[in-house]
Amino acid sequence: MSQIAINTSQNVNINFNIAGVGERMLAFIIDLLIRIAYVMIILYLFFNIFDLGYLLDGLDGWSVRAVYLILTFPVYIYPLVLESLMEGQTPGKKLMKIKVVKIDGYQASFADYMIRWVFRIVDISFAGVVGLISMIVSKNNQRLGDIASGTAVISLKNNINISHTILENIHQDYIPSFPQVIALSDNDMRIIKDNYTKALKVDDRQIISKLSDKIKSILKLEIDPTKMTERQFINVIIKDYNYYTGKDN
């Protein structure tokens, strides 16, 4: 499985597996089935439950099409809205454990999702052949919308162990030091631990220092360097987060 190195805001490269064409197609099919189900339900409600079919009587062809367009409008904006709300995922992508990310390491914006959505019209041309060919021939399995928006779809099904997650082994008698860590999110802690682990492997003291300063700034902490080194501080922060959020083994 091919990988992509995404440069984080702390200037650390983290490797992710690129989502395969098959995974993306299955996610698309799941989302397509959801949209089809929506259309069937909304039309059933319109014609059978609320018996509003008479509203179409006497309307010309364009007006009828306009009514159907209004009823089915959520289907067309489905990927744009859900990827924006679910941070790069739709129900199909979530089930397949894949996600849209920016290649430059930043969080994809609404504009990025919009570009992907607009180019979807081209990508699904000729029964989806255009998008399929683009994914096959491009370096990172990108369809035209991904290339235009600078995004890629990664797999979240990496083989990981405890050292790659926010989980830490914490003894029952562990005493936390910084209750302020509850202000952090799971995603914040994953980024902290991923970058810290990466920096430790190559002994990158500059990254460790920047990471430590960033945490102190966010949590508004002042630490005496003579009592706790930057590495000790980050280790305590990770353990404290697991302690307060109950994410211990």
Side-chain angles (χ1 to χ4, degrees), residues 122-138:
V122 179
D123 285 318
I124 64 175
S125 300
F126 304 102
V129 172
V130 174
L132 180 61
I133 292 176
S134 176
M135 285 191 286
I136 292 174
V137 302
S138 64

Side-chain angles (χ1 to χ4, degrees), residues 62-87:
W62 286 105
S63 298
V64 172
R65 292 189 186 93
V67 172
Y68 278 109
L69 177 62
I70 293 172
L71 291 174
T72 60
F73 185 67
V75 167
Y76 307 114
I77 61 172
Y78 173 95
L80 172 62
V81 172
L82 291 183
E83 284 182 355
S84 300
L85 294 177
M86 299 174 64
E87 297 184 344

Side-chain angles (χ1 to χ4, degrees), residues 127-174:
V129 172
V130 174
L132 180 61
I133 292 176
S134 176
M135 285 191 286
I136 292 174
V137 302
S138 64
K139 178 183 177 181
N140 296 318
N141 290 357
Q142 295 168 290
R143 61 179 180 82
L144 297 180
D146 292 317
I147 296 172
S149 61
T151 60
V153 180
I154 61 170
S155 173
L156 303 177
K157 294 182 289 188
N158 298 327
N159 294 323
I160 59 176
N161 55 45
I162 192 171
S163 65
H164 299 124
T165 71
I166 62 175
L167 299 178
E168 288 287 323
N169 286 311
I170 300 175
H171 296 293
Q172 292 183 347
D173 58 351
Y174 178 79

Side-chain angles (χ1 to χ4, degrees), residues 170-202:
I170 300 175
H171 296 293
Q172 292 183 347
D173 58 351
Y174 178 79
I175 301 175
S177 304
F178 305 109
Q180 296 93 331
V181 295
I182 60 174
L184 299 173
S185 67
D186 282 359
N187 190 51
D188 293 332
M189 189 51 58
R190 287 192 185 93
I191 292 174
I192 290 171
K193 188 169 183 183
D194 284 344
N195 292 336
Y196 180 55
T197 302
K198 189 84 171 182
L200 284 179
K201 288 182 179 178
V202 295

Side-chain angles (χ1 to χ4, degrees), residues 4-174:
I4 182 173
I6 295 181
N7 191 35
T8 69
S9 56
Q10 285 78 26
N11 198 32
V12 175
N13 284 331
I14 297 179
N15 292 323
F16 292 94
N17 290 329
I18 292 293
V21 175
E23 291 175 304
R24 296 185 64 171
M25 289 183 66
L26 285 175
F28 175 80
I29 291 172
I30 292 171
D31 288 326
L32 179 61
L33 292 175
I34 292 174
R35 284 184 276 184
I36 291 174
Y38 167 81
V39 171
M40 293 177 65
I41 292 172
I42 201 67
L43 293 181
Y44 179 78
L45 291 173
F46 184 83
F47 287 104
N48 297 89
I49 302 300
F50 299 111
D51 197 21
L52 298 176
Y54 70 90
L55 296 176
L56 302 180
D57 295 340
L59 297 180
D60 58 38
W62 286 105
S63 298
V64 172
R65 292 189 186 93
V67 172
Y68 278 109
L69 177 62
I70 293 172
L71 291 174
T72 60
F73 185 67
V75 167
Y76 307 114
I77 61 172
Y78 173 95
L80 172 62
V81 172
L82 291 183
E83 284 182 355
S84 300
L85 294 177
M86 299 174 64
E87 297 184 344
Q89 290 185 302
T90 59
K93 288 185 176 68
K94 194 170 186 67
L95 286 173
M96 293 305 301
K97 296 183 179 180
I98 61 178
K99 178 179 181 178
V100 178
V101 297
K102 286 286 286 183
I103 294 178
D104 60 13
Y106 290 93
Q107 173 68 45
S109 65
F110 179 79
D112 297 316
Y113 298 130
M114 174 68 80
I115 293 172
R116 296 184 80 253
W117 180 70
V118 171
F119 271 83
R120 188 179 299 270
I121 299 173
V122 179
D123 285 318
I124 64 175
S125 300
F126 304 102
V129 172
V130 174
L132 180 61
I133 292 176
S134 176
M135 285 191 286
I136 292 174
V137 302
S138 64
K139 178 183 177 181
N140 296 318
N141 290 357
Q142 295 168 290
R143 61 179 180 82
L144 297 180
D146 292 317
I147 296 172
S149 61
T151 60
V153 180
I154 61 170
S155 173
L156 303 177
K157 294 182 289 188
N158 298 327
N159 294 323
I160 59 176
N161 55 45
I162 192 171
S163 65
H164 299 124
T165 71
I166 62 175
L167 299 178
E168 288 287 323
N169 286 311
I170 300 175
H171 296 293
Q172 292 183 347
D173 58 351
Y174 178 79

